[in-house]
Amino acid sequence: MKWKWIFALSLGAALGIAGTTTQASAYQNPKGYCQVQDKQIKPYGKVGYTVKRGYEGIKTWKIMKKMHTFGGYDKYNTATYYQVKNFQRKHHLKVTGNVDETTWVKMGFSKSSWTSIDSYVAPLTVTTKDSRKAHVEAMIKQAYKYKGNPYLVGSSSSPSYGVDCSGLAMQALYAGGINPAPISSINHAHPGNEWNSRNLWASKKLKRVAYKHRERGDLIFYYQPGTHVIWHVAIYLGGNKVIESWPPRVMVQPIRNGQRSDIAGVKRPFL
């Protein structure tokens, strides 16, 4: 009977019959949805952008703290603008009220941080050779790295800093291999991109699923009471718990609580 087994194995190899010589298909989302990446995701947007009035994010937060204008909300306001102008005059720099790399370094920040804050993208620890579950867990593991960090609007950089709700979701998606560009962590700090939760909700590249079918790794979107305008996103952990960035910090909370309970819907990054 040995010759029959050898013949069958050879025939299977010749015909490409599964079960003997072929490997399982790589994990991937269906076409039309965000594709799962096999290589490290690159920053989308301008790395090393000049900070101006209306900008938010980590660079703005650092500047405001240096200029003593930070009062809990990291948006580059008029007070910061005039303080920066005074600083530039004092140090014989071009007086613009905006912070470019030269002003940034003169403020005492490292030259490398000028670009590293912008360019951070969570490391990709899974590939399409891994299962859907592995991608979901990579996403959640990244989110937990921010746990306890302060809530900072327009922020989405490394776990060394604070982050806001959609900034947390963005870095978690990156870690799992999802790049929802043109929605990006860099642009999140720019005026008009503060509410990336709304952009993620509007994206047709993320599949909407029924709330009753929610699963670990889904994105839970909330709307503002009375307006039905999207204002928050959290990552579902299962057991009616989410990890989210909500003032004052990144934390694990019930899916509904007294601060935000109006759920707009659910989107599933990994299908």
Side-chain angles (χ1 to χ4, degrees):
M1 298 295 290
K2 184 177 180 181
W3 68 272
K4 292 183 178 180
W5 177 81
I6 293 173
F7 175 76
L9 185 63
S10 300
L11 182 62
L15 298 178
I17 298 173
T20 56
T21 60
T22 58
Q23 294 180 346
S25 299
Y27 169 70
Q28 187 54 270
N29 281 338
K31 290 183 179 179
Y33 296 105
C34 289
Q35 296 295 285
V36 180
Q37 304 297 302
D38 237 359
K39 296 181 181 179
Q40 176 62 40
I41 295 169
K42 303 297 183 182
Y44 183 90
K46 182 181 179 181
V47 175
Y49 62 84
T50 296
V51 186
K52 306 174 183 179
R53 277 184 286 188
Y55 278 67
E56 298 175 344
I58 300 302
K59 283 161 73 169
T60 295
W61 171 68
K62 282 182 167 287
I63 292 163
M64 293 182 80
K65 289 189 73 176
K66 180 68 70 171
M67 296 293 101
H68 304 291
T69 57
F70 180 71
Y73 189 75
D74 51 306
K75 186 170 185 175
Y76 200 104
N77 54 22
T78 300
T80 305
Y81 171 77
Y82 283 113
Q83 283 293 86
V84 168
K85 290 184 77 170
N86 291 335
F87 178 88
Q88 289 169 330
R89 289 192 191 94
K90 182 178 178 180
H91 292 87
H92 309 290
L93 302 173
K94 185 177 180 179
V95 179
T96 63
N98 304 324
V99 177
D100 58 9
E101 184 179 357
T102 301
T103 300
W104 175 265
V105 172
K106 183 62 70 172
M107 285 180 173
F109 303 122
S110 69
K111 186 174 182 178
S112 62
S113 66
W114 177 248
T115 52
S116 66
I117 290 171
D118 301 344
S119 62
Y120 179 81
V121 172
L124 182 62
T125 59
V126 285
T127 71
T128 54
K129 294 180 181 179
D130 296 298
S131 66
R132 175 185 181 275
K133 181 180 178 181
H135 286 267
V136 168
E137 294 309 314
M139 174 187 181
I140 291 173
K141 183 178 180 181
Q142 179 69 20
Y144 266 90
K145 292 180 181 179
Y146 295 85
K147 188 179 178 185
N149 287 9
Y151 173 90
L152 291 173
V153 296
S155 300
S156 184
S157 188
S158 81
S160 302
Y161 306 109
V163 69
D164 71 4
C165 67
S166 49
L168 179 70
M170 287 297 304
Q171 292 296 345
L173 288 171
Y174 290 150
I178 293 290
N179 183 6
I183 308 167
S184 81
S185 57
I186 297 176
N187 295 340
H188 187 34
H190 297 204
N193 292 270
E194 303 92 334
W195 296 96
N196 264 342
S197 55
R198 295 173 188 171
N199 296 329
L200 289 169
W201 174 248
S203 175
K204 294 181 180 179
K205 293 183 179 181
L206 294 171
K207 185 177 181 179
R208 185 170 177 177
V209 297
Y211 177 74
K212 65 181 179 180
H213 297 314
R214 62 193 179 279
E215 295 179 0
R216 183 172 170 87
D218 288 346
L219 300 179
I220 310 296
F221 291 84
Y222 300 79
Y223 59 75
Q224 191 174 28
T227 67
H228 283 219
V229 173
I230 301 297
W231 72 333
H232 185 55
V233 61
I235 301 167
Y236 189 58
L237 301 175
N240 287 326
K241 297 284 188 179
V242 296
I243 183 167
E244 64 180 349
S245 185
W246 181 276
R249 67 182 66 87
V250 179
M251 52 193 163
V252 173
Q253 290 284 297
I255 195 169
R256 298 179 190 270
N257 64 26
Q259 294 179 304
R260 78 295 163 282
S261 61
D262 296 318
I263 296 176
V266 180
K267 287 210 164 185
R268 180 162 297 160
F270 301 100
L271 304 176

